[in-house]
């Protein structure tokens, strides 16, 4: 009876090792997915912030020229043109500044492929995890696969 229990003990140890390795693999897949989602969120937040800063310029200029106190160009056509020039000038300057620093435009032409890559990584990792799981279950069942 001793060799039988030793064999069962060895199978249990092997099953525990496989279970632990599968648990570690699943944990690392989830952590990688969360890291990729965080990076994608940072890129999107940076773009939204850039556009919000550009939109804030016309709001500030029209707010200044919309006040009820005299300002340079008050009651003159030049005041309107100066406000339009300020809006266009500052907005254009911010746009090109943010574009140069890659806050608005994509950093490279393949960035859309990079942003869709986590789905591919998840599919490949899930396939690998499924292969390991079926191999593990087949070894537990003595090589037979009752689910096929």
């Amino acid at each position: 009876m001793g060799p039988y229990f030793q064999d069962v003990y060895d199978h249990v140890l092997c099953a525990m090792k496989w279970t632990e390795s599968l648990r570690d693999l699943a944990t690392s897949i989830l952590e990688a997915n969360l890291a990729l989602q965080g990076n994608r969120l940072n890129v999107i937040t940076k773009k939204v912030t850039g556009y919000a800063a550009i939109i804030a310029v016309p709001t500030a200029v029209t707010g200044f020229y919309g006040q009820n106190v005299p300002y340079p160009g008050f009651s003159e056509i030049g005041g309107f043109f100066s406000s339009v020039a300020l809006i266009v000038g500052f907005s254009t300057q911010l746009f090109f500044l943010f574009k140069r620093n890659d806050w608005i435009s994509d950093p490279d032409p393949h960035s859309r492929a990079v942003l869709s890559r986590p789905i591919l990584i998840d599919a490949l990792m899930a396939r690998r995890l499924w292969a390991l799981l079926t191999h593990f279950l087949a070894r537990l069942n003595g090589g037979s696969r009752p689910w096929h």
Side-chain angles (χ1 to χ4, degrees):
M1 224 30 168
Y4 174 74
F5 286 123
Q6 184 64 34
D7 189 42
V8 169
Y9 179 72
D10 289 339
H11 282 289
V12 168
L13 285 179
C14 182
M16 286 174 41
K17 287 179 186 176
W18 272 96
T19 304
E20 187 65 30
S21 67
L22 290 175
R23 184 180 300 131
D24 290 341
L25 180 63
T27 302
S28 63
I29 289 171
L30 290 174
E31 287 175 355
N33 189 21
L34 286 174
L36 290 171
Q37 285 177 355
N39 289 342
R40 188 182 313 144
L41 181 66
N42 288 342
V43 169
I44 292 170
T45 304
K46 192 166 58 169
K47 289 181 186 210
V48 168
T49 303
Y51 285 118
I54 291 172
I55 292 171
V57 169
T59 304
V61 171
T62 56
F64 176 75
Y65 282 99
Q67 57 191 335
N68 293 327
V69 296
Y71 54 85
F74 185 71
S75 298
E76 296 177 11
I77 194 75
F80 171 73
F81 287 122
S82 65
S83 68
V84 170
L86 282 173
I87 289 172
V88 171
F90 284 142
S91 296
T92 305
Q93 185 179 7
L94 279 177
F95 177 78
F96 286 118
L97 177 75
F98 289 149
K99 188 170 181 143
R100 186 183 63 198
N101 292 330
D102 292 329
W103 275 46
I104 291 179
S105 64
D106 292 333
D108 60 332
H110 305 292
S111 66
R112 296 205 186 279
V114 169
L115 290 178
S116 64
R117 193 174 295 151
I119 296 170
L120 178 64
I121 290 173
D122 289 342
L124 291 174
M125 290 299 214
R127 187 178 300 144
R128 182 175 176 207
L129 185 61
W130 178 252
L132 284 172
L133 184 63
T134 55
H135 179 71
F136 171 69
L137 291 174
R139 289 193 69 190
L140 280 180
N141 289 329
S144 64
R145 294 184 181 181
W147 57 87
H148 283 279

